[in-house]
C-alpha cells in the first residue's frame, strides 16, 4: 500500500489523536486528516466545577466532591521496551497523598468512556480526591507503538500501574476501571500482578477472548467483530500511524457495513488489507484461529484467576455482548482467586442493559430497555466511588463483600443474592413436543414439565445458508441502532419455516427465571456440519420478547479445541448454552423456546459443507430433524426461583 504520509516518531500531533474522535456513537463522521506536526509539551489546566446541567444532559454535575482539580494532558510513561504511552492526569488539589484511579483505553483518553452516558467524567472522580489517570493504549490516539488487540495490555498494564503509583501526590494504591475492551485491559494487567494494583472494576467484559468474544459455541460473532473493528479500532490505529488512505477507506466502507458482513471468505476481507500487516493483523489471526488454542489461552482471564488476589467489582448487562464472561469472571474469582481475602471480596452487578445503553438520559438502548425507566439506570458511578473509598482509602462505609445484585425484568426490581446461581434455584425441565409440525409457528410445538412417554414424530425444516434467519435482538455489540442486541418482538421471525417454535401453557402464577439456561437437543442433519440455535422467549398476551439465546456449531459439540464433523443422518445429543437471564414471567404469560440453525448477522451462517465462511464461499442446504420422543427427550432446563415475585426487591438501583 502506498503511503501518503510519512509517520513521524513521537512526539507527534495531538491532531492525530483527535482524528479518530470523529467516530460518533452510531456512525463514523467525516474523517479529519492525520497530521505530522510536533506535539506540544504536557499542558496543565485548572478545572472548575462544571456548570449545572439540564435534565437529560450527561454527565450531570451533581455529586461532585470537595477537591478542586487540575488537568495535565499528554503525560508520558515509558514502558519496559522504551515505548512511550501518554495519559491525561486529573490531579486533585489537596495536601494529602491520594489513591490513583487508572483507565487504559483504546477508544481515546479525551473521551474516557463518558459517552453514551456511561461513566462520570474523570474530573468528577478526581473531585472526590483521587488522582485520575486516563491513558491511551499502545498504538492508539496519543500513544506510541503499534497496536495489536490484547497482545501488549499485560506488560503495558503492569508498567502503567507501577508508573501511576509513583506519580507526585499518589499514596501508592491504584485501582482501575472501564468497560468492554477497557475491562480487558484491567484483567490483563491484574494477571501480571503489579504490586500497587489494589482493585479493579471491569464492566461489560469477558473471561475469554475466544469464547464469548470472537466466537461462541464455535460460531464466529460476525456482527460484533467486523462492525466494531471497522468503526472503532482499525481507523483510529491508522490515524495514529498517519495512514490517511486507510483511515478514509475504512470510514467509507463502514457506511455500507451490511454489504461487507455478507462478504466471504473473511480471511480475504478487503477493507482490512489482508496483505498489509500494519492495518489489522489481529483480525486475520482471529480468523486463522477458529478453535480455542494457545493463541487464545495466553490471554484468557479464566486461565489466570489464581494470579489475581485483589477485590473485583464486576458489571454486566442481560443483553450485553459479554454477559456470560462477566458472570464467569465473578464465579471464577470466588472459586479460584489468589487469596482468601480476594475470594471473599468479589461482587457482581447485572442490570437491564445492552452493551452501550446504560439507561442514562442520553443513551440509546433497545427501546424495551429504555422503557424500564429510572429503575434500570446504572448505579456504577456511585458504587465505584463507594468501592474505591473502601478498598483504596480504607473507609468503613458499608461496602459488602461477596455477592450479586441483579435486576429482574418483568418485575423491574433489584434483588441481591449471596451466590450465583442463586442458592434457592429449582432446576426445572421443560420438554419439547409436537405432532411433527412445530416449524413455522403453526402452534403445534409444546413445552411441558412432563417427559415424553411415546414415540412422538420428529420436526423437520430446511436450512439454507443463503437465506439465514435474521437476527432480531440478542446479546451482541455495540449499539442498538445498528447491532443485534436487546429485547424485541419475535413474532415475525417465528413465522419462518426454518424456525421451530415450542410454547408452554399459560402460567397459572408469576414465575421467576434467574440464572443460566441449558437446552438439550436431540437432532440430526443431512450435512457434515451445521449450527443449532436456541432462544428463550417470554410470550405476552400482545407479543413476544426474546430473553437470551445460544448457539452450537455441530462439529464443536464436544470441544471448542478439537472440532469433529458429524455423520450425516446420525442423531446426536447437543448441549446449547443459552446465556443467563432474569425475568418474571407474569401469570398468563407463556414460556417459549425457538430452535433453528442460523442467527444472522449475529453469527456467521454455517455453510453446511464442513468448512466455514472464514476460508470458503461454498454453501449447501441442510435438512434438519429435531427429535423429542421418549428415547430422545429434548428439553430446556430453566432456573426457577420459587420465592420470586413482583414485590420482592427494590425499584432503586443499589448504591454500595
Amino acid at each position: 500500500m502506498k503511503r501518503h504520509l510519512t509517520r513521524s516518531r513521537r512526539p507527534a500531533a495531538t491532531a492525530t489523536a483527535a482524528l479518530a474522535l470523529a467516530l460518533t456513537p452510531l456512525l463514523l463522521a467525516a474523517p479529519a486528516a492525520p497530521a505530522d506536526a510536533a506535539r506540544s509539551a504536557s499542558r496543565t489546566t485548572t478545572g472548575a466545577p462544571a456548570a449545572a446541567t439540564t435534565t437529560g444532559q450527561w454527565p450531570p454535575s451533581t455529586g461532585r466532591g470537595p477537591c478542586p482539580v487540575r488537568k495535565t494532558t499528554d503525560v508520558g510513561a515509558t514502558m519496559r521496551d522504551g515505548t512511550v504511552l501518554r495519559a491525561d492526569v486529573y490531579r486533585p488539589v489537596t495536601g494529602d497523598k491520594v489513591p490513583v484511579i487508572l483507565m487504559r483505553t483504546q477508544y481515546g483518553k479525551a473521551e474516557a468512556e463518558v459517552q453514551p452516558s456511561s461513566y462520570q467524567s474523570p474530573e468528577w472522580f478526581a473531585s472526590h480526591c483521587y488522582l485520575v489517570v486516563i491513558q491511551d493504549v499502545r498504538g492508539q490516539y496519543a500513544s506510541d507503538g503499534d497496536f495489536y488487540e490484547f497482545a501488549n495490555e499485560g506488560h503495558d498494564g503492569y508498567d502503567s500501574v507501577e508508573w501511576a503509583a509513583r506519580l507526585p501526590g499518589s499514596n501508592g494504591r491504584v485501582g482501575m476501571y472501564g468497560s468492554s475492551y477497557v475491562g480487558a485491559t484491567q484483567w490483563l494487567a491484574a494477571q501480571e500482578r503489579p504490586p500497587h494494583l489494589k482493585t479493579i472494576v471491569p464492566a461489560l467484559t469477558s473471561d475469554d477472548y475466544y469464547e464469548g468474544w470472537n466466537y461462541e459455541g464455535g460460531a464466529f460473532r460476525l456482527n460484533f467483530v467486523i462492525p466494531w473493528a471497522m468503526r472503532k479500532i482499525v481507523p483510529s490505529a491508522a490515524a495514529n500511524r498517519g495512514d490517511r488512505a486507510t483511515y478514509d477507506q475504512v470510514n467509507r466502507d463502514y457506511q455500507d457495513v451490511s454489504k461487507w458482513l455478507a462478504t466471504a471468505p473473511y480471511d480475504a476481507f478487503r477493507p482490512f488489507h489482508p496483505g498489509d500487516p500494519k492495518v489489522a493483523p489481529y483480525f486475520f489471526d482471529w480468523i486463522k484461529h477458529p478453535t480455542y488454542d494457545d493463541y487464545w489461552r495466553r490471554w484468557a482471564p479464566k486461565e489466570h484467576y489464581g494470579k489475581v488476589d485483589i477485590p473485583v467489582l464486576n458489571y454486566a448487562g442481560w443483553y450485553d455482548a459479554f454477559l456470560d464472561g462477566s458472570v464467569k469472571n465473578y464465579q471464577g474469582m470466588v472459586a479460584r482467586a489468589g487469596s482468601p481475602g480476594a475470594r471473599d471480596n468479589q461482587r457482581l452487578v447485572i442490570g437491564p442493559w445492552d452493551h452501550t445503553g446504560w439507561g442514562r438520559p442520553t443513551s440509546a438502548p433497545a427501546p424495551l430497555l429504555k422503557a424500564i425507566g429510572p429503575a434500570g439506570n446504572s448505579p456504577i458511578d456511585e458504587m465505584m466511588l463507594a468501592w474505591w473509598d473502601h478498598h483504596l482509602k480504607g473507609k468503613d462505609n458499608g461496602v459488602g463483600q461477596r455477592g450479586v445484585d441483579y435486576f429482574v425484568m418483568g418485575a423491574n426490581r433489584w434483588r441481591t443474592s449471596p451466590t450465583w446461581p442463586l442458592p434457592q434455584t429449582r432446576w426445572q425441565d421443560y420438554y419439547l413436543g409436537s405432532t411433527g409440525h412445530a416449524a413455522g409457528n403453526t402452534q403445534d410445538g409444546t413445552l411441558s414439565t412432563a417427559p415424553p412417554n411415546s414415540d412422538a414424530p420428529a420436526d423437520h425444516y430446511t436450512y439454507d445458508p443463503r437465506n439465514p434467519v435474521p437476527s432480531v435482538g440478542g446479546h451482541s455489540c455495540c449499539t442498538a441502532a445498528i447491532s443485534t442486541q436487546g429485547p424485541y418482538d419475535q413474532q415475525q421471525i417465528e413465522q419462518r419455516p426454518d424456525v421451530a417454535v415450542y410454547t408452554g401453557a399459560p402460567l397459572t402464577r408469576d414465575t421467576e427465571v434467574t440464572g443460566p439456561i441449558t437446552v438439550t437437543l436431540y437432532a440430526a442433519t443431512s450435512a457434515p456440519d451445521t449450527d443449532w440455535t436456541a432462544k428463550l422467549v417470554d410470550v405476552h398476551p400482545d407479543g413476544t420478547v426474546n430473553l437470551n439465546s445460544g448457539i452450537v456449531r455441530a462439529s464443536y459439540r464436544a470441544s471448542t479445541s478439537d472440532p469433529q464433523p458429524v455423520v450425516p443422518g446420525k442423531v446426536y445429543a447437543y448441549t446449547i448454552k443459552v446465556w443467563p437471564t432474569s425475568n418474571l414471567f407474569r401469570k398468563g404469560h407463556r414460556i417459549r423456546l425457538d430452535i433453528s440453525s442460523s442467527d444472522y448477522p449475529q453469527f456467521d451462517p454455517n455453510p453446511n459443507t464442513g468448512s466455514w465462511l472464514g476460508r470458503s464461499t461454498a454453501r449447501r442446504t441442510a435438512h434438519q430433524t429435531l427429535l423429542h420422543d421418549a428415547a430422545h427427550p429434548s428439553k430446556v432446563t430453566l432456573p426457577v426461583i420459587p420465592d420470586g415475585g413482583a414485590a420482592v426487591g427494590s425499584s432503586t438501583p443499589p448504591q454500595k
Side-chain angles (χ1 to χ4, degrees):
M1 179 182 69
K2 182 179 179 181
R3 299 290 177 136
H4 292 260
L5 297 167
T6 301
R7 180 181 180 181
S8 62
R9 300 309 297 174
R10 298 290 193 260
T14 304
T16 306
L19 170 63
L21 288 176
L23 309 184
T24 69
L26 297 181
L27 294 173
L28 290 173
D36 292 311
R39 173 183 281 112
S40 60
S42 299
R43 301 180 303 280
T44 301
T45 59
T46 300
T53 56
T54 60
T55 300
Q57 292 184 331
W58 185 264
S61 61
T62 56
R64 288 180 54 87
C67 285
V69 178
R70 292 194 177 99
K71 175 184 177 183
T72 305
T73 59
D74 295 328
V75 180
T78 303
M79 303 294 101
R80 64 188 66 183
D81 65 352
T83 301
V84 176
L85 309 186
R86 292 179 176 80
D88 292 344
V89 177
Y90 299 79
R91 189 181 303 280
V93 179
T94 175
D96 300 326
K97 291 187 179 297
V98 298
V100 177
I101 303 302
L102 171 65
M103 172 188 284
R104 304 193 63 254
T105 177
Q106 67 173 348
Y107 301 124
K109 60 184 173 64
E111 193 167 306
E113 292 203 309
V114 172
Q115 296 291 352
S117 299
S118 297
Y119 295 101
Q120 263 287 2
S121 68
E123 200 265 347
W124 187 91
F125 290 121
S127 77
H128 289 273
C129 306
Y130 285 94
L131 201 164
V132 180
V133 179
I134 313 295
Q135 182 188 68
D136 289 331
V137 302
R138 180 182 295 245
Q140 290 284 6
Y141 294 83
S143 289
D144 293 356
D146 295 319
F147 175 73
Y148 187 103
E149 196 86 359
F150 308 120
N152 299 296
E153 310 307 351
H155 288 168
D156 285 356
Y158 180 107
D159 294 350
S160 297
V161 167
E162 296 305 294
W163 164 79
R166 298 190 299 268
L167 286 171
S170 164
N171 70 0
R173 299 179 66 82
V174 180
M176 298 180 75
Y177 79 108
S179 72
S180 193
Y181 188 81
V182 189
T185 65
Q186 297 173 65
W187 282 110
L188 292 167
Q191 64 198 40
E192 296 292 325
R193 305 190 73 166
H196 292 91
L197 183 63
K198 304 304 178 184
T199 187
I200 59 175
V201 187
L204 306 156
T205 196
S206 191
D207 70 323
D208 180 0
Y209 309 124
Y210 171 78
E211 180 68 25
W213 190 291
N214 284 281
Y215 293 86
E216 185 178 329
F220 182 51
R221 301 187 77 191
L222 179 69
N223 201 34
F224 158 51
V225 175
I226 284 180
W228 166 63
M230 291 181 79
R231 186 169 66 96
K232 281 292 189 182
I233 57 177
V234 174
S236 54
N240 175 275
R241 63 180 182 273
D243 182 357
R244 170 63 181 265
T246 296
Y247 180 82
D248 287 347
Q249 166 255 307
V250 176
N251 284 349
R252 287 192 302 269
D253 289 342
Y254 182 76
Q255 303 306 316
D256 195 10
V257 66
S258 60
K259 178 189 80 171
W260 292 109
L261 288 172
T263 301
Y266 311 134
D267 64 5
F269 191 66
R270 187 157 54 87
F272 293 167
H273 300 246
D276 187 343
K278 286 288 188 182
V279 176
Y282 42 87
F283 173 82
F284 296 105
D285 285 342
W286 299 340
I287 302 302
K288 289 175 186 175
H289 294 270
T291 64
Y292 186 62
D293 58 15
D294 288 342
Y295 174 85
W296 301 104
R297 288 189 185 93
R298 57 182 162 168
W299 295 320
K302 70 181 184 183
E303 303 282 356
H304 304 284
Y305 294 135
K307 299 177 183 177
V308 183
D309 60 356
I310 56 176
V312 181
L313 173 58
N314 297 277
Y315 279 83
W318 291 127
Y319 292 92
D320 178 49
F322 310 124
L323 164 65
D324 194 57
S326 296
V327 173
K328 286 181 176 177
N329 278 331
Y330 170 76
Q331 291 177 296
M333 286 293 287
V334 167
R336 309 200 314 269
S339 68
R343 293 192 288 274
D344 287 340
N345 282 275
Q346 304 297 315
R347 289 197 67 81
L348 172 64
V349 180
I350 316 175
W353 311 313
D354 53 31
H355 192 65
T356 54
W358 288 71
R360 294 295 192 179
T362 61
S363 65
L368 292 178
L369 294 179
K370 189 74 170 180
I372 289 172
N377 283 355
S378 169
I380 194 166
D381 294 317
E382 296 80 6
M383 287 192 78
M384 283 199 308
L385 199 59
W387 183 265
W388 292 334
D389 282 350
H390 180 73
H391 290 289
L392 297 178
K393 292 184 176 179
K395 292 185 178 180
D396 184 8
N397 58 2
V399 166
Q401 292 183 303
R402 191 165 67 207
V404 181
D405 296 290
Y406 63 99
F407 186 88
V408 183
M409 297 176 292
N412 289 352
R413 308 284 286 183
W414 286 94
R415 299 177 186 163
T416 300
S417 171
T419 64
W420 184 269
L422 277 57
Q424 69 270 39
T425 302
R426 177 170 58 86
W427 302 100
Q428 178 66 63
D429 293 332
Y430 289 83
Y431 294 92
L432 281 61
S434 78
T435 63
H437 304 285
N441 197 15
T442 61
Q443 308 301 315
D444 183 55
T446 61
L447 281 181
S448 171
T449 56
N453 56 9
S454 63
D455 294 329
D459 290 307
H460 303 271
Y461 61 85
T462 297
Y463 158 52
D464 184 351
R466 289 156 292 212
N467 180 27
V469 176
S471 304
V472 178
H475 55 246
S476 189
C477 173
C478 289
T479 65
I482 59 173
S483 278
T484 47
Q485 62 178 41
Y488 290 89
D489 195 305
Q490 302 296 304
Q491 291 180 98
Q492 185 173 358
I493 294 300
E494 290 169 337
Q495 307 304 314
R496 286 178 58 108
D498 52 357
V499 179
V501 179
Y502 301 91
T503 310
L507 294 167
T508 59
R509 61 182 177 181
D510 290 354
T511 302
E512 181 187 337
V513 172
T514 295
I517 300 152
T518 302
V519 172
T520 303
L521 182 69
Y522 291 89
T525 179
S526 64
D529 198 9
T530 195
D531 286 350
W532 304 105
T533 67
K535 184 186 300 178
L536 183 68
V537 176
D538 185 349
V539 181
H540 297 238
D542 57 352
T544 68
V545 176
N546 56 302
L547 296 173
N548 227 319
S549 61
I551 189 169
V552 64
R553 188 142 291 181
S555 57
Y556 286 70
R557 64 197 179 278
S559 171
T560 57
S561 298
D562 184 26
Q564 298 294 325
V566 298
V567 176
K570 181 178 178 179
V571 176
Y572 294 88
Y574 295 95
T575 299
I576 308 174
K577 183 176 74 175
V578 175
W579 282 18
T581 193
S582 181
N583 184 70
L584 186 70
F585 290 84
R586 294 284 190 166
K587 179 181 177 180
H589 288 205
R590 293 181 290 168
I591 298 171
R592 174 173 288 176
L593 186 71
D594 294 346
I595 300 291
S596 189
S597 292
S598 53
D599 184 355
Y600 172 84
Q602 180 158 233
F603 303 105
D604 67 310
N606 195 313
N608 301 324
T609 62
S611 185
W612 73 297
L613 297 182
R615 62 173 68 102
S616 172
T617 59
R619 297 169 173 86
R620 55 174 282 189
T621 58
H623 301 290
Q624 316 291 56
T625 300
L626 309 179
L627 296 93
H628 40 72
D629 53 37
H632 307 95
S634 294
K635 63 182 180 179
V636 56
T637 303
L638 298 181
V640 175
I641 310 303
D643 56 352
V648 178
S650 171
S651 61
T652 302
Q655 298 298 303
K656 294 182 180 180

